[in-house]
Amino acid sequence: MTRFVKVSGLGNDYIVFDCRRGRCSRVERLMVHHRIGAWSSFVSKISSRRTSIGSDGVIVIVDPDHCVGASCRMRIFNSDGSEAELCCNGLRCIAKYLSREANSELPFEAFVETGMQERALRKVVVQTSGLVNANLGKVGHWEQHVCVHSLLGSMHEVNVGNPHTVYFIRENENLGDFDVDFYGEELQSDYENGINASFVKRIDSATVEARTYERGSGETNACGSAAAAIAVGCWLQPFKNPPEHIDVTVRYPGGKIQMSWKPPHGDLVQTGDASILFSGDVDVPQPPGSEHLISYHVPRCLDTQRFAFLPKVKFNLSNLPTPLEKFDVFKAAAPLLGDSMRVADERFECWIKRDDLTGAALSGNKIRKLDFCLADAVKRNCDVVITCGGIQSNHCRATAVACARIKSWIKPQKLEAHLILRVPDDDLAGEATPEIGFNGNLLLGRFAGARIHLVSEREYHKEGGFSLVKKLAKRLVNEGLAINPCCLPSGASNALGSFGYIHCAAEVHQQCLDLDISFDDAFVACGSVGTAIGFALGCESLEDRRLGGAGGSKTLVHAVSVCDPVEDALSDGTSILGDLIKGGKIVADDILASMSEAIGIGYAKSTPEELQLLRAVALETGIFLDPVYSGKALHNILKRLGAEAVSATEKGKKKRLLFLHTGGIFGLYGTDTRGFDALELGSVERFRA
């Protein structure tokens, strides 16, 4: 059962759910499914006056996510489940609710974030008299129209944050005789998203009577935003000498609203009553897939003051937390890399974060990022997900498998994966589509039903992967194969995806506290950089900037690029930070202690020594590295640590290091296996009794 509060603004009544700071989590989860009917159905059900609580709609207040200084964000849903941009009666009611929650003396002042795509900050004040004053800001738009209806004198279109038509009836007509529902419903087909319609009769220069039809709800006892639109309509009425200031009382069946406005560029200010009627509990249904799609709250150990935004939802695709364990890598590498490994073993204690164990076919670092990116895609009602990468891309495979899993949770919503995969130029020399086979990541992606789009290496690097993703999205929409595509960059390396590894840093920190350890340095392999940037920013956001705390200097995070030159990788990282951090004044060098290059003989190409390291680590520890990312990066890291250990003049305190295993085991099945012939692998012989 979920707590609600019933409120009324002059008889315009609403059911309020307070979802701030994780309250009413089931309401938040159900709202994610607004566009596929689950939330709308619930709103309609509880708004029914004969069979449930009854209301003109539902208001949900959540933590603000755009406007600095806001006390909360208000979302308003009509009784048919459709979402509206603004509700001024509801805004005044929320002010009353906030003042009661704060147990504050009057007058009480708050700022409420409103709007859908475009957000605005509205100041509300609960006065000592109990009336509520709301500053609605400036008028967005107005138009005057010729009115052809015989009963109507003039008509104006006004936008005060949501759209209205204002009709002034002729002096000899009676407002009570109007069939407001009939005329209001008739108007809806003339506007793409519907419109609110008010019918007004002037009583004197400072008073009007009004009745309002609200789209999605029908006629209401009062409408606050309509009162604001009516004030604008009063100014637009033909006057020989238009007034410099509009002060008008709008009388509704439910009561009166006072409007004050200095046209044309002043703020609309509204004063009216608002009431808290009662509170109670209601059964909120379990939304489809809700055991997987959850409200996300950033771990308390992270200081998020600098963040430009915080995610609201995530999936539970990954099995977390992944293990944190000791890693005897120097002993494993000693037979291959020599005495420097034995010296390094005396100077360093190495641990490994097993993000290769995030879960079955979704194993690896990519799925932490997709937990956030695909939750956002579902929230935005996307029907296809388009991304890009190499022919054996771990990220593309994970995206395909994740989409297949999610589709089974959110039926009937679609979520089809389209993958742009790059192949050697020669493979696309002719017109025919080449045969790409069924090995490694490619096999799993095709098993999961992904639609593959092949592109040459030359075109991929010339156009840019994400540019190709957006071009494909446009084509699919034009061909009627998609309605609302979700475009993901390679590796899901954007600001939202990076929260996967911001969260991972908090997860490691908690594991360190449980084990009573801390780390001096952390090492991360990177291609598209989002993992390294997220993890480094997560470490920077800890109170002492140290994994495990317990004093000492901050944990230094080192990135190893296996795909791009250092300069390009740092540039990509800075671009992600620009979207993550307020003001965007931080660069990748500010949070990464170092960025080294381990491309070697080429992306996804391994030297014999790099392959031998994979075998040595597996033989000694039972942990498998992939040849594209973790294997190459670890080879680079061990050589650097060995050289540092040998050149050290003083023994010093033993440092504790963390290696972040990014997974990618399926890459082993897609690599050129000819290099394995030279390795001393497990022997094979025919059985003899």
Side-chain angles (χ1 to χ4, degrees):
M1 302 295 284
T2 299
R3 198 72 173 165
F4 72 88
V5 175
K6 182 76 179 289
V7 300
S8 173
L10 304 178
N12 192 197
D13 57 342
Y14 290 92
I15 299 163
V16 176
F17 293 105
D18 185 353
C19 295
R20 293 175 298 163
R21 296 181 291 280
R23 293 186 265 183
C24 301
S25 58
R26 188 174 283 194
V27 169
E28 284 193 281
R29 291 199 298 269
L30 195 64
M31 284 173 64
V32 171
H33 298 273
H34 170 40
R35 296 187 181 232
I36 63 172
W39 170 251
S40 299
S41 176
F42 171 68
V43 170
S44 297
K45 181 179 178 181
I46 65 172
S47 297
S48 173
R49 297 194 182 277
R50 293 185 180 273
T51 59
S52 190
I53 304 167
S55 68
D56 287 324
V58 170
I59 294 174
V60 180
I61 57 176
V62 297
D63 294 317
D65 57 3
H66 278 68
C67 299
V68 177
S71 305
C72 66
R73 179 190 173 198
M74 181 183 89
R75 296 183 66 181
I76 172 71
F77 299 90
N78 300 311
S79 59
D80 67 353
S82 59
E83 186 167 6
E85 298 91 343
L86 179 65
C87 171
C88 296
N89 279 334
L91 182 63
R92 298 199 315 276
C93 290
I94 292 305
K96 265 287 179 70
Y97 172 78
L98 293 174
S99 70
R100 192 185 74 169
E101 284 289 292
N103 195 24
S104 172
E105 293 184 0
L106 301 182
F108 170 82
E109 179 180 289
F111 291 87
V112 179
E113 181 182 321
T114 63
M116 292 164 62
Q117 279 77 26
E118 295 184 11
R119 307 291 175 80
L121 200 59
R122 317 281 184 182
K123 179 182 176 181
V124 287
V125 180
V126 182
Q127 300 173 342
T128 52
S129 65
L131 296 177
V132 182
N133 179 280
N135 187 315
L136 308 180
K138 303 189 185 310
V139 183
H141 171 77
W142 64 74
E143 288 183 19
Q144 299 187 60
H145 295 270
V146 175
C147 199
V148 296
H149 198 289
S150 61
L151 302 179
L152 305 174
S154 63
M155 179 270 210
H156 313 284
E157 288 185 359
V158 183
N159 193 306
V160 292
N162 59 354
H164 289 265
T165 55
V166 180
Y167 293 89
F168 285 84
I169 69 172
R170 299 188 186 280
E171 291 182 5
N172 60 338
E173 299 297 334
N174 185 356
L175 188 61
D177 294 338
F178 259 73
D179 189 340
V180 170
D181 280 328
F182 173 79
Y183 287 117
E185 289 171 10
E186 194 175 50
L187 275 170
Q188 300 312 300
S189 59
D190 296 337
Y191 297 87
E192 182 179 357
N193 298 312
I195 199 158
N196 304 291
S198 293
F199 302 88
V200 184
K201 183 170 184 177
R202 272 194 175 275
I203 306 303
D204 55 45
S205 61
T207 311
V208 299
E209 287 185 346
R211 292 172 66 191
T212 296
Y213 175 95
E214 289 190 9
R215 54 180 177 166
S217 294
E219 184 177 2
T220 60
N221 281 332
C223 180
S225 58
I230 289 167
V232 178
C234 287
W235 177 64
L236 293 173
Q237 288 292 288
F239 288 109
K240 290 182 180 179
N241 298 303
E244 294 184 1
H245 201 284
I246 295 292
D247 283 295
V248 61
T249 299
V250 182
R251 297 200 316 219
Y252 272 109
K256 60 185 181 181
I257 298 174
Q258 179 67 38
M259 292 300 310
S260 177
W261 179 48
K262 183 174 176 55
H265 302 302
D267 287 354
L268 286 158
V269 180
Q270 175 178 111
T271 304
D273 200 4
S275 306
I276 308 293
L277 301 181
F278 59 87
S279 60
D281 298 289
V282 65
D283 187 13
V284 179
Q286 188 82 351
S290 63
E291 68 272 27
H292 304 283
L293 185 60
I294 63 171
S295 299
Y296 179 68
H297 302 282
V298 180
R300 292 184 178 181
C301 63
L302 297 176
D303 178 7
T304 58
Q305 293 299 310
R306 295 187 301 168
F307 291 6
F309 69 96
L310 297 175
K312 297 297 181 184
V313 292
K314 71 181 288 285
F315 273 116
N316 271 341
L317 288 161
S318 41
N319 298 326
L320 305 179
T322 54
L324 180 67
E325 52 192 56
K326 278 192 175 182
F327 188 32
D328 288 331
V329 66
F330 299 114
K331 292 177 182 176
L336 177 66
L337 300 182
D339 288 342
S340 65
M341 294 295 98
R342 296 185 181 89
V343 180
D345 194 36
E346 295 175 358
R347 288 190 60 84
F348 306 113
E349 177 184 299
C350 194
W351 289 63
I352 186 169
K353 177 63 171 169
R354 298 293 305 276
D355 264 21
D356 55 323
L357 302 179
T358 48
L362 299 167
S363 63
N365 64 319
K366 312 302 182 185
I367 202 60
R368 282 191 189 260
K369 296 188 272 187
L370 290 172
D371 267 340
F372 289 94
C373 291
L374 295 184
D376 180 67
V378 168
K379 185 178 179 182
R380 293 188 289 110
N381 199 37
C382 295
D383 53 346
V384 300
V385 177
I386 309 170
T387 193
C388 59
I391 192 69
Q392 281 295 328
S393 167
N394 295 312
H395 161 66
C396 287
R397 174 261 305 161
T399 301
V401 178
C403 285
R405 289 190 69 187
I406 292 169
K407 277 190 294 187
S408 69
W409 300 336
I410 61 170
K411 290 177 180 178
Q413 186 174 347
K414 289 170 50 183
L415 201 66
E416 185 178 67
H418 286 254
L419 311 178
I420 299 175
L421 303 181
R422 62 181 186 268
V423 296
D425 297 335
D426 293 342
D427 289 359
L428 292 182
E431 292 297 320
T433 300
E435 178 54 53
I436 55 176
F438 302 96
N439 61 339
N441 285 307
L442 191 57
L443 171 64
L444 294 173
R446 296 183 74 178
F447 254 57
R451 302 286 296 276
I452 308 295
H453 306 263
L454 300 179
V455 63
S456 69
E457 293 271 7
R458 183 185 299 110
E459 185 180 1
Y460 187 95
H461 292 298
K462 178 183 177 182
E463 291 279 338
F466 195 53
S467 175
L468 295 174
V469 166
K470 291 186 284 187
K471 283 186 175 181
L472 178 57
K474 186 176 181 180
R475 196 200 89 195
L476 293 177
V477 171
N478 290 340
E479 294 177 359
L481 299 175
I483 298 173
N484 186 21
C486 167
C487 296
L488 292 182
S490 173
S493 287
N494 56 18
L496 182 60
S498 295
F499 270 94
Y501 275 87
I502 293 171
H503 184 91
C504 181
E507 181 179 300
V508 173
H509 180 66
Q510 185 58 54
Q511 289 174 313
C512 288
L513 295 177
D514 293 341
L515 294 167
D516 194 23
I517 62 172
S518 63
F519 288 108
D520 299 293
D521 296 82
F523 297 86
V524 187
C526 66
S528 50
V529 199
T531 297
I533 289 297
F535 193 78
L537 186 58
C539 292
E540 283 283 319
S541 302
L542 295 169
E543 183 178 0
D544 296 325
R545 297 190 296 172
R546 183 176 178 85
L547 292 169
S553 57
K554 75 172 186 176
T555 300
L556 302 177
V557 179
H558 307 267
V560 182
S561 176
V562 301
C563 182
D564 296 318
V566 167
E567 185 177 339
D568 292 345
L570 288 173
S571 176
D572 290 343
T574 298
S575 178
I576 294 170
L577 286 169
D579 295 329
L580 263 175
I581 301 299
K582 292 175 184 175
K585 296 179 181 179
I586 187 172
V587 298
D589 276 334
D590 292 334
I591 62 171
L592 292 172
S594 71
M595 168 77 80
S596 58
E597 186 181 304
I599 301 173
I601 61 173
Y603 175 69
K605 297 177 182 179
S606 301
T607 65
E609 188 172 87
E610 288 167 349
L611 290 177
Q612 286 167 3
L613 180 64
L614 306 186
R615 180 256 179 191
V617 171
L619 183 66
E620 184 68 30
T621 68
I623 295 173
F624 293 90
L625 305 172
D626 86 296
V628 181
Y629 289 91
S630 57
K632 256 189 179 182
L634 186 62
H635 182 263
N636 172 276
I637 293 163
L638 291 177
K639 285 202 160 188
R640 287 165 54 197
L641 292 174
E644 180 183 333
V646 170
S647 63
T649 56
E650 298 180 7
K651 190 166 185 179
K653 182 182 177 182
K654 196 169 189 176
K655 284 187 175 182
R656 186 176 288 115
L657 315 177
L658 174 67
F659 176 66
L660 185 59
H661 192 334
T662 50
I665 190 172
F666 300 111
L668 277 168
Y669 300 97
T671 193
D672 185 349
T673 58
R674 287 174 296 182
F676 295 162
D677 294 340
L679 303 181
E680 294 182 16
L681 302 177
S683 63
V684 179
E685 65 175 31
R686 181 171 178 170
F687 173 75
R688 293 186 180 86

